């Protein structure tokens, strides 16, 4: 494993890390927690750039958003009172669902997103929160909505860049709101067969003012469900409406067959899991369906 690696760097600044990435060309790879890079063990890699000493492990309130440094670990997210209090704790719940305790002590939020897996557990809650990612390369920084970051399995908008931080706007508190994150995997510590994050905001009469639904492991990238959201938004929240929205989820996903599950099973689980998540949100908002 990695017997072709010739250089391992541990830079102290983002600028140094970006320079090393450029110097290493196609054969250089960033390593954060290493839980994906080391398992993948790509034999073409000659240079590893460890980014864990760049000071990118933080969770900060900046204005009306939470800003999370890329090397913040899953364990830090799940233990953070701020992240547990953000939108019903959907991001903390997703972090707590990532593999074993040992994995979560190593695995970083940035690595989970930058790896580009359709099953990345932190992606659906961050999509539901309409988060953005901040990337830094030789030409400076740019900010991108997370929804535009994923392009294909294992592919993202990252060029020779570092994912520096993730910015999650704080949804308003109070009123009739609910949030849910649910993961369905083969075992407690397995990668998702399907995951879902959802949020509902209702008005005083029980009509849906806003709906957010995002899914993992059901398409080439983690993705939002605007069709299902539109079915709910503006309508009275009834069991029939919810069922229509879940049917739309099942239509809009494009799962694959793999070792974990056949595509048609995933489609059905997507429908069922979206329904459970929406009912959990509705219940928090004071509606039992
Ligand atoms: C046994 C096991 C169980 C797992 N279970 C789960 C699970 O339940 N849910 C889940 O979602 N994942 C799971 N994973 C996958 C993995 O643990 C996560 O994706 C993890 O968050 C990756 O983070 P890392 O810091 O270890 O990334 P690394 O392995 O260090 O890096 C992953 C990729 O991202 C790049 N990268 C990392 N950080 C940055 C950055 N800041 N900027 C640019 N590029 C970067 C690296 O170059 C590499 O290509 C599991 C993995 C294993 C081995």
């Amino acid at each position: 494993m990695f017997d072709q690696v010739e250089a391992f760097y541990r830079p102290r600044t983002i600028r140094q890390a970006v320079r090393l990435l450029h110097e290493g060309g196609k054969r250089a790879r960033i390593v954060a927690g290493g839980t994906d890079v080391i398992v993948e063990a790509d034999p073409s890699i000659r240079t590893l750039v460890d980014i864990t000493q760049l000071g990118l492990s933080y969770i900060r309130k900046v204005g009306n958003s939470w800003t999370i440094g890329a090397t913040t670990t899953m364990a830090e997210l799940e233990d953070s009172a701020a992240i547990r209090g953000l939108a019903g704790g959907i991001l903390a719940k997703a972090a707590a669902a990532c593999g074993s305790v040992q994995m979560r002590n190593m695995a970083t939020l940035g690595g989970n997103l930058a790896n580009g897996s359709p099953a990345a557990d932190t992606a659906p809650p961050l999509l539901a929160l309409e988060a953005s990612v901040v990337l830094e390369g030789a030409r400076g920084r740019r900010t991108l909505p997370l929804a535009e970051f994923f392009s294909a399995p294992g592919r993202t908008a990252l060029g020779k860049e570092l994912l520096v931080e993730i910015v999650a706007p704080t949804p308003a508190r109070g009123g009739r709101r609910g949030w849910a994150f649910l993961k369905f995997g083969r075992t407690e510590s397995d990668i998702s067969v399907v995951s879902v994050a959802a949020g509902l905001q209702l008005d005083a009469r029980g009509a849906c003012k806003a709906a957010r639904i995002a899914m993992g492991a059901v398409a080439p990238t983690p993705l939002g469900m605007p069709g299902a959201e539109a079915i709910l938004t503006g309508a009275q929240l009834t069991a029939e409406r919810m069922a229509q929205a879940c049917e739309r989820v099942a239509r809009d996903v494009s799962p694959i067959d793999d070792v974990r599950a056949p595509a048609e099973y995933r489609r059905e689980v997507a429908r069922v899991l979206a329904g459970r998540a929406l009912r959990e949100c509705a219940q928090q908002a004071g509606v039992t369906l």
Side-chain angles (χ1 to χ4, degrees):
M1 168 166 89
F2 276 148
D3 47 1
Q4 305 296 315
V5 171
E6 293 160 357
F8 184 93
Y9 296 103
R10 187 169 278 163
R12 297 291 171 149
T13 67
I14 295 176
R15 184 178 280 199
Q16 278 172 1
V18 170
R19 182 175 49 75
L20 289 164
L21 210 52
H22 274 273
E23 283 172 8
K26 283 191 174 138
R27 295 176 164 207
R29 186 71 59 86
I30 289 171
V31 58
T35 62
D36 279 316
V37 170
I38 289 170
V39 173
E40 191 186 340
D42 178 344
S44 71
I45 296 175
R46 298 289 180 276
T47 304
L48 285 171
V49 182
D50 178 341
I51 59 164
T52 57
Q53 303 301 308
L54 299 183
L56 295 178
S57 299
Y58 52 80
I59 298 169
R60 293 181 191 138
K61 187 89 188 273
V62 180
N64 206 26
S65 298
W66 284 100
T67 298
I68 306 169
T71 56
T72 304
T73 63
M74 298 299 172
E76 287 163 341
L77 288 174
E78 84 182 275
D79 287 347
S80 158
I83 301 304
R84 287 208 305 266
L86 173 67
I90 51 174
L91 179 58
K93 287 176 186 168
C98 280
S100 62
V101 172
Q102 292 87 344
M103 293 293 304
R104 299 198 293 274
N105 285 336
M106 301 290 294
T108 66
L109 179 61
N112 196 231
L113 300 175
N115 197 50
S117 165
D121 280 324
T122 62
L126 288 169
L127 287 169
L129 285 166
E130 299 182 291
S132 304
V133 285
V134 178
L135 315 181
E136 182 164 336
R139 292 196 191 141
R141 284 194 175 196
R142 59 183 179 127
T143 301
L144 209 63
L146 183 62
E148 293 172 23
F149 180 69
F150 302 109
S151 44
R155 300 188 78 102
T156 67
L158 281 165
K160 282 277 165 205
E161 291 169 304
L162 228 71
L163 169 50
V164 175
E165 61 187 19
I166 296 91
V167 182
T170 317
R173 281 170 175 263
R176 300 181 67 183
R177 294 168 200 274
W179 293 94
F181 170 80
L182 296 175
K183 168 174 173 172
F184 181 80
R186 289 180 304 174
T187 69
E188 274 287 301
S189 59
D190 228 308
I191 285 176
S192 290
V193 169
V194 176
S195 65
V196 59
L200 287 178
Q201 184 188 358
L202 308 187
D203 69 14
R205 286 177 299 164
C208 178
K209 280 172 78 175
R212 298 291 303 162
I213 306 170
M215 315 272 313
V218 291
T221 65
L223 81 170
M225 291 284 145
E229 290 167 0
I231 288 171
L232 295 168
T233 307
Q236 198 65 25
L237 201 63
T238 60
E240 292 70 31
R241 267 289 161 170
M242 298 258 266
Q244 281 171 20
C246 295
E247 286 308 325
R248 182 63 191 262
V249 164
R251 268 217 321 271
D252 287 353
V253 298
S254 49
I256 54 161
D257 294 319
D258 69 7
V259 288
R260 291 185 185 85
E264 283 316 300
Y265 178 73
R266 276 201 159 96
R267 191 183 295 283
E268 180 58 12
V269 175
R271 190 179 64 75
V272 171
L273 214 61
R276 286 183 191 163
L278 288 171
R279 277 194 296 280
E280 197 174 310
C281 295
Q283 202 163 17
Q284 288 169 30
V287 177
T288 305
L289 296 167

